[in-house]
Amino acid sequence: MAHEDKARQKPFKVIVVGAGIVGLSLSHALQLANIDHVVLEKHSKIVSLHGAALMIYPGVSRIFDQMGFLKKIQDTMTPIQREFQRWPDGSVLIRGNTIRTTSAKFDMPVILFDRQKCVTHLFDNLPDQSKIRTSARVERIEQDDNGVKVWLADGTYEEGDMVIGADGVHSLVRELMWDYAAKKDPGLIPDSDKKALFTQYKGIFGVSDQGELPDLGPADINIVGGQDVTKLLFTQPGIAYWALIYKDEYSQPPKPFKPDQKEQEEIAQRFKDIKLTENLTFGGLWKNKTRSGTLNIEEGILDKWHAGRIVLVGDSAHKVLHPRNPF
């Protein structure tokens, strides 16, 4: 009885795995709600140069406003001024105003900026950064009626009441949740979840200096159609963010795709002559690149997002391609 009373008196604590955009957003929400928690990040740094551009729509902008740092983001970006949908040859199909209309209707901005700037804002503006623990690689999760214990690679552990897996499409928490369910509640996880993720498209993305490149304004959106390849080109003053999403071999589950620099160069050369505007080819952007990357574009949605004291969120549970936020 004394043990049960002590368990009931223990403050509720959440353990979040993954300090990306989802994990850091969770930390903001939990801190605003005065809920004790810790966020475990396997890497030694929170902010990295992974990824290129993000487009944030008014629903998320409103959340950033509630978190208290929307104005800081707005001060670092230029609102979208021109929108183009283009034919495969780069000529203009439609000159749009969807982004400006959306911003006006919701009285909230559509934000275009670097992914790492988003992560930086989320981390720098946390009320209490001590809730984030880096170099904390999860190895296993133990749970029972009284709580959960998350063991780390360095031999330490964190104790709490629930685990939230915000660790991305290659989620370890998801694998550990499946292992737990197989032992404690066979049949809870449908077999289809083990095959839910697939790939049919890959992407090459990056950031380039505008320099003397033609047809680029300070705050443009260009969406270029094409057979089996879609081209995206966004700009902010002096910077061009770009991505090519191209059809590839269908794979379920997704096959690993981590090309080295030589293989990445070969992909770029394959597309060097395609047009992104009337006068700008991908080869021109590639010559001016400051960083680039490649990725599998996984797709799929799980049916079961929780088991026991483990819950999945973000890409660990659903990975879909948004046409304006792929990279």
Side-chain angles (χ1 to χ4, degrees):
M1 180 65 70
H3 175 73
E4 292 178 1
D5 290 342
K6 184 177 180 181
R8 280 196 294 267
Q9 294 170 5
K10 183 181 66 173
F12 183 82
K13 183 176 181 179
V14 177
I15 302 172
V16 180
V17 180
I21 292 174
V22 175
L24 292 174
S25 298
L26 275 170
S27 184
H28 274 276
L30 292 168
Q31 291 190 46
L32 288 171
N34 293 316
I35 296 174
D36 190 21
H37 67 284
V38 63
V39 181
L40 306 176
E41 170 55 47
K42 65 182 179 181
H43 295 109
S44 60
K45 295 180 180 179
I46 297 298
V47 181
S48 72
L49 289 178
H50 293 162
L54 281 177
M55 185 168 284
I56 303 296
Y57 280 80
V60 177
S61 296
R62 197 176 301 279
I63 293 172
F64 287 171
D65 190 29
Q66 294 170 358
M67 292 175 178
F69 55 87
L70 177 61
K71 180 63 167 56
K72 294 180 181 179
I73 293 176
Q74 288 180 275
D75 289 344
T76 65
M77 52 84 65
T78 299
I80 299 302
Q81 298 174 3
R82 303 190 303 176
E83 302 172 47
F84 302 100
Q85 292 187 34
R86 297 179 180 271
W87 293 106
D89 66 359
S91 61
V92 175
L93 167 63
I94 298 173
R95 296 177 185 268
N97 62 356
T98 302
I99 298 302
R100 286 165 290 174
T101 300
T102 300
S103 296
K105 292 289 186 183
F106 285 90
D107 194 26
M108 276 282 156
V110 175
I111 299 167
L112 172 63
F113 61 169
D114 289 6
R115 182 187 184 278
Q116 63 264 33
K117 285 183 180 177
C118 183
V119 174
T120 298
H121 281 292
L122 282 164
F123 180 69
D124 287 351
N125 291 286
L126 280 171
D128 182 0
Q129 294 180 354
S130 70
K131 298 294 185 182
I132 313 300
R133 182 176 172 184
T134 56
S135 299
R137 184 180 293 273
V138 173
E139 284 203 336
R140 69 182 191 276
I141 298 173
E142 299 174 357
Q143 56 175 309
D144 57 29
D145 292 342
N146 296 316
V148 62
K149 184 180 288 187
V150 178
W151 287 90
L152 306 177
D154 64 4
T156 63
Y157 61 84
E158 292 283 351
E159 287 186 286
D161 295 277
M162 68 178 295
V163 175
I164 300 179
D167 52 340
V169 68
H170 304 294
S171 172
L172 173 63
V173 174
R174 182 178 63 222
E175 297 288 338
L176 296 174
M177 185 188 84
W178 286 346
D179 290 345
Y180 169 83
K183 296 174 184 176
K184 298 295 184 179
D185 193 357
L188 177 67
I189 306 298
D191 290 339
S192 58
D193 274 10
K194 307 294 181 65
K195 303 175 182 178
L197 292 179
F198 65 92
T199 56
Q200 194 171 12
Y201 289 85
K202 290 181 170 59
I204 182 167
F205 62 90
V207 181
S208 298
D209 289 328
Q210 285 194 20
E212 300 300 320
L213 295 174
D215 299 340
L216 300 181
D220 295 347
I221 292 176
N222 294 277
I223 301 174
V224 189
Q227 182 65 39
D228 294 337
V229 59
T230 297
K231 290 82 77 176
L232 304 177
L233 173 60
F234 305 152
T235 65
Q236 285 285 280
I239 303 172
Y241 305 102
W242 47 264
L244 305 184
I245 299 108
Y246 58 94
K247 193 172 185 178
D248 201 78
E249 179 185 2
Y250 180 87
S251 176
Q252 188 180 46
K255 294 179 181 178
F257 178 62
K258 292 184 178 181
D260 58 25
Q261 193 61 44
K262 180 176 179 294
E263 292 169 317
Q264 189 180 128
E265 187 71 37
E266 290 171 353
I267 295 170
Q269 291 304 308
R270 171 182 164 190
F271 294 112
K272 66 182 178 65
D273 293 325
I274 65 171
K275 293 284 194 73
L276 286 93
T277 71
E278 290 92 337
N279 303 297
L280 178 61
T281 65
F282 178 67
L285 282 170
W286 185 255
K287 288 178 181 178
N288 277 26
K289 70 179 172 65
T290 57
R291 67 177 187 271
S292 62
T294 53
L295 76 168
N296 261 338
I297 298 176
E298 298 92 351
E299 300 177 66
I301 302 175
L302 304 188
D303 183 65
K304 196 70 173 178
W305 295 17
H306 63 89
R309 293 176 177 268
I310 300 175
V311 177
L312 305 177
V313 296
D315 286 353
S316 66
H318 56 90
K319 181 66 167 68
V320 294
L321 171 62
H322 190 296
R324 290 184 180 170
N325 182 16
F327 55 110

